[in-house]
Amino acid sequence: MTVSPADSSDISAAREAALIASVPTGLLIDGQWRNASDGGTFNVYDPATGEVLATLASATSEDALAALDAAGKAQFGWARTAPRERAEILRRAFDLVTERAEDFALLMTLEMGKPLAESRGEVTYGAEFLRWFSEEAVRDYGRYLTTPEGKNKILVQHKPVGPCLLITPWNFPLAMATRKVAPAVAAGCTMILKPAKLTPLTSQLFAQTMLEAGLPAGVLNVVSSSSAAGISGPLLTDPRLRKVSFTGSTPVGKRLMADAAHNVLRTSMELGGNAPFIVFEDADLDKAVEGAMAAKMRNMGEACTAANRFLVQESVAAEFTTKFAVAMGALAIGRGTEPAAQVGPLIDAGARDDVHALVRAAIDAGATAVTGGFPVDGPGYFYPPTVLANVPNDAAILRQEIFGPVAPVTLFSTEGDAIRLANASEYGLASYLYSRDFSRLLRVAEQIEFGMVGFNAGVISNAAAPFGGVKQSGLGREGGSEGIAEYTTTQYIGIADPYAG
């Protein structure tokens, strides 16, 4: 493990301050930035230092309803807007985000902690949803056909579902906003966006960019707040809201689904994960380690798709674990703005403490820390890349989402054992398989209970692919042609036979 020192090529404090000063700090309601109705505010912190980055207006329940008023007022006109016009707004937004890539990347690094290289990757990934759905906006096809008995005609059209509440997490501040906003815009829905209170700055800048791209007032409203319940509570009980899309933990998702049931709202839930990374004895181990690094260390492990359990066939476990530990231990830790930094801080002290508690419990149960295993001293919420060997199958770290740079390795004997261990979780989001046998890959993929499977690939998220899980990892899909369908309702019109006499 190495800790990256700051040097003269770091981003300057003046550059950081200027960027922060350019970000709107109010609530976006009906096209205008305004203060909270009660004048309340909350602070956003730098997880690398613990220092305050900015102070934002904290929306109240009254502000949330004002945002819904604006969304409801704008809905009819926005739904009637030509698909090509909606597409052009999204394309302009893609161009603007791409032009401002360095600003968005630095802002994410400051408020979330990830190294600049990762933030730049997120800008590319997040912007692609804007481009993808700009193309899908004009391809949301219906159909016209004759009934089987030939007596009537069937006309099927897709209509926007209506005003939507979009609740985004802190770990991918830009991509989670674009992944929800872009299909809603493409489908003709108006929105209330509630960013995570830990990382709202990127969403604030993104919303301003959408206005500059030509999005009409009231179509996108942003209510950053220190109180999630104060926003979601009144909105979910208001009959004007027609959909809620949430990315976050399974317990919170369940509560939102229960609340949404009262008005039978459309729901999209992208919830927790416990991704198995399965290495079979015939795998190319060097490529498996490379894939493991990508699947584990993207976003410092703070991703719902992060590999959470490393299931390795017994005959290759020692070699894989040694190579993996060497690669993990070589990563440089530091504030994300430092050029050499490869691992930034976790989001806050609570997250670091939770990760460390899982590590210590696993070690107490018999696991061995091959590298890492203790928090980094000093300011910020850093935790070193950690590999644990000989983790018992009943250890809590194999059941819970780690959300940090920790890789527990456990062994299996047969293909059937691997499938059984992979499925021994209430979660079913992402999974990863490494083998040279393509038939095995297909065979195992058909038997494991996950919405997404990586074949010899450690990163599989893409705007063109349907992202989502099964079991308690949620419902619905984001991205791909499926993504726009989440924001539309299907209407069937039965037409009398035009040839009847």
Side-chain angles (χ1 to χ4, degrees):
M1 178 188 73
T2 58
V3 178
S4 169
D7 64 31
S8 59
S9 61
D10 292 355
I11 302 295
S12 70
R15 167 82 172 90
E16 294 178 13
L19 175 59
I20 294 293
S22 73
V23 177
T25 58
L27 312 175
L28 179 60
I29 299 177
D30 203 13
Q32 300 294 319
W33 294 101
R34 62 170 77 170
N35 294 328
S37 58
D38 65 355
T41 61
F42 69 101
N43 291 330
V44 182
Y45 297 89
D46 180 346
T49 64
E51 297 175 356
V52 174
L53 284 173
T55 300
L56 270 61
S58 182
T60 65
S61 296
E62 181 181 337
D63 295 321
L65 291 174
L68 183 56
D69 289 342
K73 183 177 67 174
Q75 179 58 57
F76 180 78
W78 181 240
R80 295 288 298 163
T81 301
R84 176 64 68 195
E85 185 174 341
R86 298 198 298 265
E88 291 298 330
I89 290 171
L90 286 171
R91 183 59 193 229
R92 287 195 294 272
F94 166 81
D95 290 338
L96 287 172
V97 170
T98 301
E99 289 169 11
R100 301 170 183 173
E102 285 302 301
D103 282 348
F104 276 104
L106 177 55
L107 195 58
M108 281 190 284
T109 290
L110 293 177
E111 67 173 345
M112 187 269 163
K114 69 185 76 180
L116 272 170
E118 288 216 32
S119 292
R120 291 175 180 126
E122 183 176 339
V123 175
T124 301
Y125 172 57
E128 188 59 27
F129 286 101
L130 301 169
R131 179 161 60 177
W132 171 262
F133 284 108
S134 75
E135 296 162 346
E136 289 293 290
V138 296
R139 295 182 176 85
D140 187 22
Y141 303 122
R143 64 186 187 272
Y144 177 71
L145 66 156
T146 303
T147 59
E149 70 280 1
K151 294 183 178 180
N152 286 316
K153 297 292 184 180
I154 295 172
L155 176 63
V156 178
Q157 64 174 341
H158 298 154
K159 301 171 66 175
V161 69
C164 304
L165 172 59
L166 312 178
I167 305 175
T168 55
W170 52 262
N171 55 340
F172 289 96
L174 179 63
M176 297 302 96
T178 60
R179 199 162 78 181
K180 297 181 189 299
V181 169
V185 168
C189 295
T190 59
M191 299 147 279
I192 302 103
L193 173 63
K194 165 60 178 71
K197 66 180 180 181
L198 294 172
T199 59
L201 299 176
T202 303
S203 290
Q204 300 277 120
L205 183 60
F206 170 60
Q208 180 62 40
T209 303
M210 291 299 297
L211 293 180
E212 293 173 20
L215 197 68
V219 175
L220 174 61
N221 305 276
V222 181
V223 284
S224 297
S225 178
S226 61
S227 173
I231 302 302
S232 63
L235 292 179
L236 292 175
T237 59
D238 193 305
R240 295 174 295 172
L241 190 74
R242 296 311 314 144
K243 176 182 172 65
V244 57
S245 176
F246 170 73
T247 298
S249 73
T250 295
V252 174
K254 288 180 178 179
R255 291 197 296 272
L256 289 171
M257 289 176 70
D259 291 342
H262 293 294
N263 283 330
V264 196
L265 296 181
R266 284 281 295 277
T267 57
S268 297
M269 295 283 152
E270 197 266 283
L271 307 178
N274 189 359
F277 189 100
I278 306 173
V279 181
F280 289 99
E281 60 188 357
D282 64 336
D284 181 322
L285 292 188
D286 290 334
K287 290 183 177 179
V289 169
E290 181 181 347
M293 293 294 292
K296 177 73 262 183
M297 292 307 297
R298 184 187 183 199
N299 231 46
M300 292 85 70
E302 294 175 311
C304 55
T305 55
N308 209 64
R309 300 170 286 156
F310 290 80
L311 314 179
V312 186
Q313 200 151 17
E314 291 172 341
S315 60
V316 296
E319 183 180 357
F320 172 83
T321 302
T322 297
K323 290 183 174 183
F324 189 22
V326 168
M328 289 278 277
L331 295 176
I333 302 169
R335 189 172 189 253
T337 54
E338 298 167 10
Q342 296 167 293
V343 181
L346 297 183
I347 190 63
D348 59 19
R352 182 185 59 188
D353 293 345
D354 288 345
V355 167
H356 188 53
L358 287 172
V359 170
R360 298 319 303 171
I363 291 173
D364 290 344
T368 302
V370 186
T371 188
F374 290 93
V376 177
D377 292 333
Y381 313 118
F382 295 92
Y383 201 87
T386 297
V387 175
L388 302 175
N390 305 313
V391 178
N393 286 331
D394 60 352
I397 200 168
L398 298 179
R399 300 192 306 271
Q400 298 180 30
E401 192 170 23
I402 300 169
F403 241 62
V406 177
V409 178
T410 190
L411 312 185
F412 69 87
S413 298
T414 67
E415 183 178 300
D417 290 336
I419 293 168
R420 176 181 56 80
L421 289 171
N423 288 339
S425 172
E426 69 266 36
Y427 299 109
L429 187 59
S431 57
Y432 306 91
L433 313 177
Y434 272 75
S435 170
R436 287 187 173 97
D437 184 342
F438 191 71
S439 294
R440 166 182 273 163
L441 293 173
L442 291 177
R443 190 167 60 242
V444 173
E446 289 190 359
Q447 296 179 74
I448 59 175
E449 300 165 341
F450 293 86
M452 298 179 288
V453 182
F455 278 2
N456 294 325
V459 177
I460 56 175
S461 299
N462 191 282
F467 186 106
V470 298
K471 299 196 290 188
Q472 295 196 33
S473 284
L475 48 86
R477 294 295 183 267
E478 295 185 311
S481 57
E482 293 84 357
I484 196 170
E486 296 287 327
Y487 293 87
T488 62
T489 59
T490 299
Q491 184 179 59
Y492 153 57
I493 302 171
I495 304 171
D497 182 0
Y499 298 102

